Amino acid sequence: MPSHFRPRVYLLFALLLLAVMLLCICMGSVAIPLSDTLTALVCALFRKPVPEGIARAIILGVRLPRVLLGGLMGAALSLSGAAMQGLLRNPLADGSTLGVSSGASLGAVIALAFGASLPVFSFGGVVAMAMLFALLSMLLIFSLAFALDKSLATNSIILIGVIFSMFASSLMSLIIAFAGERVKTITFWTMGSLSGAKLPQCALLFAALVLCGGVILLHARELNAFAIGEDNARSVGVRVRRVKVLVMLAVCGLVGVCVALGGSIAFVGLVVPHITRLVAGPNHAKLLPASAVFGAVFLMLADLLARTLLSPVELPVGVVTSMAGSVVFVVVFYRARKAG
Amino acid sequence: MLLSVRDVSVRFGAFEAVSGVSLDLCENQWLMLAGPNGSGKSTLLRAISQAVPHTGSVAIMGRDARAMNASEIARCVGVMAQSHPAGFGYTAREVVSLGRYAHRRSLFSPGDPDGSRLVGEALERVGLAALADQRITTLSGGELQRVFLAQVLAQDPRVLLLDEPANHLDPAYQRQMFALIDEWRMQPGRAVISVVHDLSLARRFGTHALLLHRGRCAAQGEIDAALTGENLARVYGMDVTAWMRELLSAWEN
């Protein structure tokens, strides 16, 4: 069934991503001319010195990493969401359904509240703790799932994920209640933010996206089968349990890294796949790549809004994604319904 | 021998849904599974296709089914379930194409040259060629039933396991689909097992029958010998043949 996109469409996607990236680099508290941005990027690409008079530090040191991280994270989150919605045949699922994002958040909150950090880790304590906790919660969730239900039935997975999330959230609330003056920092972090993005972080997320995203993209046919029905998937020959474990591991990896780097940015993974499905149809061979592209565009633009709307005050990007996401979704959904 | 089922039991907690059923299926047979609601017909089908854990043994074309992976089983056995999910707006053609999954699995295999032709033929045969690109969420129950029949035909297995193939079908399509299945199973190396509630359909199209009662085999053999009025009366707790005649008499005069 994979009627893939034509190469032309992929070219279009690439141009779209590039255009949005440039827009987001140019716009901000200090507006930068497009020519300066292009010059700086090209010089950096070919390792040449950037000419005088160009705001090199802003373009390459601040905006580029932030825009890149936003794009990568948007792609990762909506790819995960699309995969989980198909796999669990549940329109309310996304990458956070499995509970790993709550686990990662818990790790970050502990680090923020107690200043705990792991030695020898260049990304700093919060990221390291969040990654560690993402990994631990992944192990815990999978062993719980296998112990309770060997067949890994969809309902058991959703239940375990939701219950684990609640447990982690309650621990977080407990810590926040005793966090004193650090409450503000913690709250801001849990709403998600891309400020303080660095290029090594982008590289890490890029690696995760290639690896885990690759696993997800290679399972487009299987995800179609799951989206139609798990029993049907089994009877046409899908190795149901193996595919489930592989896809869920990939999603956990992606979401864990995302939360560690940018906090739990809500709504991207839930809404972008739905909007994409209205445009590209439910076939995962098209839905997955298109979701990744739209997710990247969506989060880059949302972050642009977050940092320019009330400049110099910066909004938490999670708030912007939730607000903008719901409005965009209602509009698109309404139009699609009207068009039939 | 296409299928050989020996002493299969399926347990859900304390409840035994199927108890020690054995059956053989040979080329060109159409075995009808009959029995009251809850007698274990669908569960037996699911055990044969390895969709539920069971005890006892199932051999598919001489191989132990437990040792086969999902796509090996799918190339031999095609299953049409009793009810069909229709989430997300896939087109009928996309659903039918999924039937080719087991024939074109690996990343590096040469692909499935006959795939799109078989999918087109299957859609044609169930009378859905005109609706091929319509979303399944907009189809009626009977049309959806035919989509999944087309899927299992495109899968091109040796044995069809059909759970209530007459579900949702109007009389014209019921006749057409049963004629289609009848023709399918007459080709070399093929056979069908189906669950049917309409015992007249079972008598008319079946070559053999297995009558289940509370998970156990109550009668088994050639259709005329297995589905006798006496056996049916014992299993259903009523005079089934008299009821059939009474229904038929509504059409007289």
Side-chain angles (χ1 to χ4, degrees):
Chain A
M1 115 161 69
S3 31
H4 293 276
F5 284 124
R6 298 200 186 116
R8 207 166 17 152
V9 180
Y10 281 108
L11 192 68
L12 214 67
F13 281 162
L15 289 177
L16 175 70
L17 285 174
L18 197 66
V20 173
M21 248 181 77
L22 288 176
L23 174 78
C24 292
I25 294 178
C26 290
M27 284 181 70
S29 49
V30 184
I32 294 169
L34 181 62
S35 57
D36 283 13
T37 304
L38 283 174
T39 317
L41 286 180
V42 170
C43 288
L45 208 59
F46 294 104
R47 301 189 176 281
K48 286 186 184 148
V50 179
E52 289 289 317
I54 289 180
R56 184 182 181 282
I58 297 184
I59 298 173
L60 297 178
V62 180
R63 297 248 176 104
L64 177 67
R66 181 163 184 164
V67 171
L68 272 181
L69 190 66
L72 289 168
M73 204 173 283
L77 289 174
S78 49
L79 190 61
S80 308
M84 291 305 288
Q85 285 168 11
L87 188 74
L88 301 180
R89 236 182 136 244
N90 189 325
L92 290 178
D94 68 1
S96 65
T97 307
L98 289 170
V100 173
S101 48
S102 303
S105 298
L106 176 63
V109 167
I110 291 175
L112 287 167
F114 303 115
S117 67
L118 300 178
V120 216
F121 221 102
S122 57
F123 292 140
V126 177
V127 175
M129 280 291 279
M131 296 266 220
L132 180 69
F133 269 69
L135 192 68
L136 288 178
S137 22
M138 190 163 93
L139 289 176
L140 187 64
I141 290 162
F142 271 86
S143 23
L144 265 178
F146 273 110
L148 290 180
D149 180 357
K150 281 213 169 53
S151 66
L152 287 184
T154 299
N155 285 344
S156 330
I157 292 168
I158 295 179
L159 266 178
I160 290 168
V162 167
I163 288 168
F164 181 83
S165 292
M166 286 181 173
F167 179 69
S169 305
S170 65
L171 285 181
M172 261 187 279
S173 306
L174 186 69
I175 294 170
I176 291 171
F178 292 102
E181 78 273 20
R182 298 191 189 194
V183 167
K184 206 173 160 220
T185 330
I186 295 177
T187 315
F188 196 83
W189 188 89
T190 51
M191 283 187 283
S193 167
L194 296 169
S195 59
K198 301 268 171 0
L199 279 178
Q201 299 179 341
C202 299
L204 177 69
L205 184 50
F206 182 72
L209 194 59
V210 169
L211 186 73
C212 303
V215 169
I216 293 172
L217 286 171
L218 285 177
H219 284 92
R221 278 169 73 82
E222 287 79 0
L223 285 171
N224 282 334
F226 271 100
I228 289 169
E230 192 174 324
D231 273 337
N232 194 246
R234 183 183 293 107
S235 64
V236 297
V238 176
R239 294 181 202 189
V240 170
R241 219 168 72 139
R242 200 174 83 151
V243 172
K244 250 187 197 174
V245 170
L246 267 175
V247 171
M248 288 194 304
L249 282 176
V251 167
C252 284
L254 277 182
V255 172
V257 175
C258 282
V259 174
L261 297 180
S264 41
I265 298 174
F267 232 63
V268 182
L270 181 67
V271 164
V272 173
H274 280 290
I275 295 174
T276 313
R277 208 175 278 117
L278 291 172
V279 183
N283 189 339
H284 286 78
K286 286 182 174 177
L287 175 65
L288 294 174
S291 288
V293 171
F294 290 171
V297 169
F298 179 75
L299 193 53
M300 285 193 281
L301 291 177
D303 188 49
L304 180 64
L305 280 181
R307 60 195 159 86
T308 53
L309 215 53
L310 293 181
S311 170
V313 179
E314 197 172 290
L315 301 173
V317 68
V319 175
V320 178
T321 54
S322 302
M323 282 186 181
S326 21
V327 173
V328 170
F329 182 67
V330 169
V331 171
V332 174
F333 192 64
Y334 180 75
R335 287 213 167 156
R337 271 290 153 91
K338 247 183 138 181
Chain B
M1 188 98 65
L2 292 172
L3 280 182
S4 170
V5 174
R6 286 286 164 276
D7 199 26
V8 160
S9 302
V10 179
R11 205 168 245 298
F12 298 124
F15 170 67
E16 197 163 59
V18 173
S19 314
V21 173
S22 300
L23 65 89
D24 289 322
L25 187 72
C26 302
E27 191 175 9
N28 302 134
Q29 287 183 352
W30 187 339
L31 174 70
M32 297 288 182
L33 288 183
N37 294 147
S39 58
K41 306 180 293 292
S42 301
T43 307
L44 178 58
L45 276 193
R46 287 171 62 79
I48 294 173
S49 66
Q50 306 300 304
V52 286
H54 61 85
T55 57
S57 73
V58 174
I60 298 172
M61 304 177 65
R63 287 182 62 195
D64 181 4
R66 268 183 244 262
M68 299 166 79
N69 68 35
S71 82
E72 288 172 331
I73 292 177
R75 283 194 290 268
C76 300
V77 178
V79 184
M80 187 170 81
Q82 191 169 26
S83 58
H84 308 293
F88 301 107
Y90 287 94
T91 63
R93 188 190 303 281
E94 284 174 325
V95 173
V96 175
S97 307
L98 208 53
R100 299 301 300 165
Y101 177 83
H103 299 271
R104 188 185 151 199
R105 248 180 43 81
S106 108
L107 193 56
F108 305 103
S109 73
D112 182 22
D114 300 333
S116 59
R117 182 180 54 81
L118 285 169
V119 167
E121 277 175 16
L123 281 162
E124 192 88 31
R125 290 175 84 182
V126 301
L128 281 176
L131 299 182
D133 295 309
Q134 197 162 323
R135 300 197 178 284
I136 54 170
T137 40
T138 64
L139 298 180
S140 76
E143 287 163 343
L144 200 56
Q145 179 82 355
R146 279 145 56 206
V147 168
F148 281 90
L149 182 60
Q151 187 195 60
V152 87
L153 290 176
Q155 192 174 330
D156 192 27
R158 307 291 294 276
V159 177
L160 280 185
L161 304 182
L162 308 172
D163 199 346
E164 284 289 340
N167 252 359
H168 309 292
L169 296 179
D170 66 37
Y173 273 115
Q174 201 172 88
R175 186 171 152 184
Q176 196 180 324
M177 292 306 108
F178 271 69
L180 174 62
I181 298 163
D182 204 36
E183 186 196 300
W184 187 91
R185 61 112 186 154
M186 294 298 278
Q187 289 166 49
R190 289 176 172 177
V192 176
I193 302 183
S194 68
V195 170
V196 279
H197 275 295
D198 187 331
L199 296 165
S200 310
L201 274 176
R203 281 295 289 253
R204 164 71 183 77
F205 286 97
T207 61
H208 294 71
L210 194 159
L211 198 54
L212 279 170
H213 185 42
R214 293 185 186 148
R216 292 177 188 284
C217 173
Q220 184 169 20
E222 293 196 7
I223 193 88
D224 300 339
L227 294 189
T228 60
E230 203 177 298
N231 285 340
L232 293 175
R234 184 157 51 86
V235 165
Y236 287 90
M238 66 177 279
D239 189 344
V240 176
T241 42
W243 167 240
M244 294 288 177
R245 290 208 175 87
E246 191 186 321
L247 287 177
L248 193 61
S249 70
W251 297 101
E252 283 160 16
N253 73 54

